Amino acid sequence: MATHDITLTINGLQERLTVPSHMTLLQMLRSELAITGTKNGCAAGECGACTVLLNGEPTNSCMVLAVECDQAEITTVEGLAQDGQLDPIQDAIMEAGGVQCGFCTPGILISARALLDRNPSPTEADIRQALLGNLCRCTGYFRIIEAVQQAAQRSPIAARS
Ligand code: FES
Ligand code: FES
C-alpha cells in the first residue's frame, strides 16, 4: 500500500502524517487525528455534513484525498471558537434553535462562517445559496437562516484563511 508524508495546518496547529493514497481528508481527520466534529453523513459528496474550510473554501472533506492536502490549511468546527469564545455563528445557531439532532450542524457552521467571511451582510438568498450543499433533516432551515442573519449583525471574528 503506497503511503505519503504530508504536512498541513489544522485549526492553527501544524500536523505531520503518513497517509495511504486512498485515505480521504474526512477519514484522516476522524480516524487519524480524532477530530470528530466533522461528520460522515453520506461519504459521497451529497450532504455537506463533512464540510471543512480547505484553504478558506468550504469543501466536502469526504471528496478530497488526504494526500491532496499537503501544505494546506484546514479549519474544522473545532477551530471556529477563538480564545475560549464561541464564534458568533455558534452562539446564534443555539439561540435561534437551529440545532436539533445536530448532525448537520458542524458543516452548516463552517459554510455559514465562510459566507460571513466573504459577505458580512448576506441577504436571505445569499444565505440559502451558501447553504445549498448542507442538508438538514430536522429543522426546516428557517431557524438556521435566522441564525446566520443574527450572526451577521454581531461583530465577526477575524476572517480565517
Ligand atoms: S459526508 Fe461528505 S458530503 Fe456527505
Ligand atoms: S439538526 Fe438534524 S440534520 Fe440538521
Side-chain angles (χ1 to χ4, degrees), residues 26 39-51 60-63 133:
L26 175 61
K39 301 306 182 199
N40 182 0
C42 67
E46 300 288 344
C47 73
C50 66
T51 306
N60 289 335
S61 60
C62 70
M63 300 301 288

Side-chain angles (χ1 to χ4, degrees), residues 7 33-34 50 55 65 105 111 122:
T7 302
L33 297 168
C50 66
N55 295 328
L65 292 173
T105 306
S111 293

Side-chain angles (χ1 to χ4, degrees), residues 62-81:
C62 70
M63 300 301 288
V64 177
L65 292 173
V67 66
E68 296 179 279
C69 299
D70 190 27
Q71 305 302 324
E73 291 233 7
I74 309 288
T75 302
T76 71
V77 69
E78 289 90 343
L80 291 183

Side-chain angles (χ1 to χ4, degrees), residues 21-146:
S21 302
H22 62 271
M23 177 175 277
T24 66
L25 172 58
L26 175 61
Q27 289 167 332
M28 185 189 78
L29 289 170
R30 292 184 58 84
S31 305
E32 296 295 308
L33 297 168
I35 300 175
T36 55
T38 306
K39 301 306 182 199
N40 182 0
C42 67
E46 300 288 344
C47 73
C50 66
T51 306
V52 300
L53 294 181
L54 170 56
N55 295 328
E57 291 296 321
T59 302
N60 289 335
S61 60
C62 70
M63 300 301 288
V64 177
L65 292 173
V67 66
E68 296 179 279
C69 299
D70 190 27
Q71 305 302 324
E73 291 233 7
I74 309 288
T75 302
T76 71
V77 69
E78 289 90 343
L80 291 183
Q82 303 273 295
D83 301 325
Q85 264 200 305
L86 291 179
D87 186 288
I89 186 59
Q90 291 176 297
D91 282 327
I93 202 166
M94 288 191 291
E95 290 165 19
V99 180
Q100 289 187 26
C101 81
F103 201 79
C104 69
T105 306
I108 284 179
L109 290 170
I110 291 287
S111 293
R113 171 43 55 205
L115 168 67
L116 293 172
D117 283 349
R118 69 176 184 273
N119 177 3
S121 303
T123 63
E124 181 177 334
D126 293 333
I127 297 168
R128 287 185 180 277
Q129 179 70 31
L131 298 182
L132 263 185
N134 294 92
L135 304 185
C136 176
R137 299 172 74 170
C138 310
T139 65
Y141 299 100
F142 177 79
R143 291 173 185 220
I144 293 171
I145 291 164
E146 190 178 295

